[in-house]
Amino acid sequence: MGRRLDPAMAALGLAALVIAGCDRTSRVDVEGRIRLPERTDAALVVPLEGAKNPFPVDTSGRFVGTYGALGVTPDHIPLFVHVPGRRPVVLVPGRDFRIEEQDGSFHAEIDLDPSRARAARPLALACTAESCTADLPAEAKSCVSTVVVLDGPKTTLVAPGIERRDDGGTRLVAFFPLPRQRSRSLVVVSTCGDEAYVSEIATFDGP
């Protein structure tokens, strides 16, 4: 006779398979080139979810990386592109680049000219010594917002505070999460479907 499988153990095994499958299929290997206006080693590509570190862009404009988040499909994770001296770019999957399945894994290739990229809608920042705020208009719906803190070759992603305004819009509040012993910069990014809103980069000097 065959061995009977305990229903509870079967459920646990199925859950483990589902989790393992989601973890495997949610990861994307991405490589690309950014056409830099001048040689720099400070450009970064930052997945707005699912990456421990940003992807550095070398002086030729090349970068590679892997990202993905459990429970979030790859086509819901935008890429934030920071090139010093230029307005940041937000690349939305399906609109600005394609994610394709190859041999059971996901891949994306990007060739970006920042001067020709689709411009994000501007977000005005109002900053004090402790925080910055940015107001999304009332027509911006189903938005996912992130504060990107730029700290040299590193980045920190922070969820902003959210306040509803009387006119139906949303106020985003970005507090400073890093020590003040050194200068740091932050930028507020909101993706609302295929539309992106990006603030100017605010830089604050350390003491």
Side-chain angles (χ1 to χ4, degrees), residues 186-205:
L186 65 80
V187 56
V188 180
V189 183
S190 292
T191 52
C192 313
D194 285 346
E195 198 65 71
Y197 293 79
V198 179
S199 75
E200 63 267 29
I201 296 176
T203 300
F204 302 86
D205 294 327

Side-chain angles (χ1 to χ4, degrees), residues 73-95:
T73 58
D75 58 359
H76 288 170
I77 303 178
L79 302 180
F80 174 85
V81 181
H82 170 60
V83 177
R86 301 192 70 89
R87 184 168 176 78
V89 172
V90 177
L91 301 179
V92 177
R95 187 194 74 181

Side-chain angles (χ1 to χ4, degrees), residues 117-147:
R118 179 170 173 173
R121 295 193 178 188
L123 272 179
L125 276 182
C127 296
T128 68
E130 299 297 330
S131 65
C132 291
T133 59
D135 288 346
L136 280 170
E139 62 267 21
K141 304 295 185 182
S142 302
C143 300
V144 177
S145 300
T146 306
V147 180

Side-chain angles (χ1 to χ4, degrees), residues 27 32 47-48 68-69 81 85-86 104 111 122 148 155 161 189 204 207:
R27 303 201 64 77
L48 294 181
V81 181
R86 301 192 70 89
D111 187 353
V148 182
T155 59
V189 183
F204 302 86

Side-chain angles (χ1 to χ4, degrees), residues 127-130 132 150-151 176 178-186 201-207:
C127 296
T128 68
E130 299 297 330
C132 291
L150 301 168
D151 185 26
F176 300 141
L178 292 181
R180 296 177 177 275
Q181 283 75 22
R182 58 184 181 274
S183 63
R184 72 278 190 220
S185 301
L186 65 80
I201 296 176
T203 300
F204 302 86
D205 294 327

Side-chain angles (χ1 to χ4, degrees), residues 149-189:
V149 180
L150 301 168
D151 185 26
K154 300 179 181 179
T155 59
T156 303
L157 303 183
V158 183
I162 295 178
E163 302 173 355
R164 297 300 178 189
R165 303 197 316 269
D166 292 340
D167 64 358
T170 302
R171 174 158 293 168
L172 306 174
V173 183
F175 294 97
F176 300 141
L178 292 181
R180 296 177 177 275
Q181 283 75 22
R182 58 184 181 274
S183 63
R184 72 278 190 220
S185 301
L186 65 80
V187 56
V188 180
V189 183

Side-chain angles (χ1 to χ4, degrees), residues 38-64:
E38 57 187 25
R39 293 177 68 88
T40 176
D41 59 359
L44 298 172
V45 176
V46 185
L48 294 181
E49 193 164 358
K52 292 183 178 179
N53 298 299
F55 308 147
V57 180
D58 66 22
T59 54
S60 70
R62 300 282 180 179
F63 70 93
V64 296

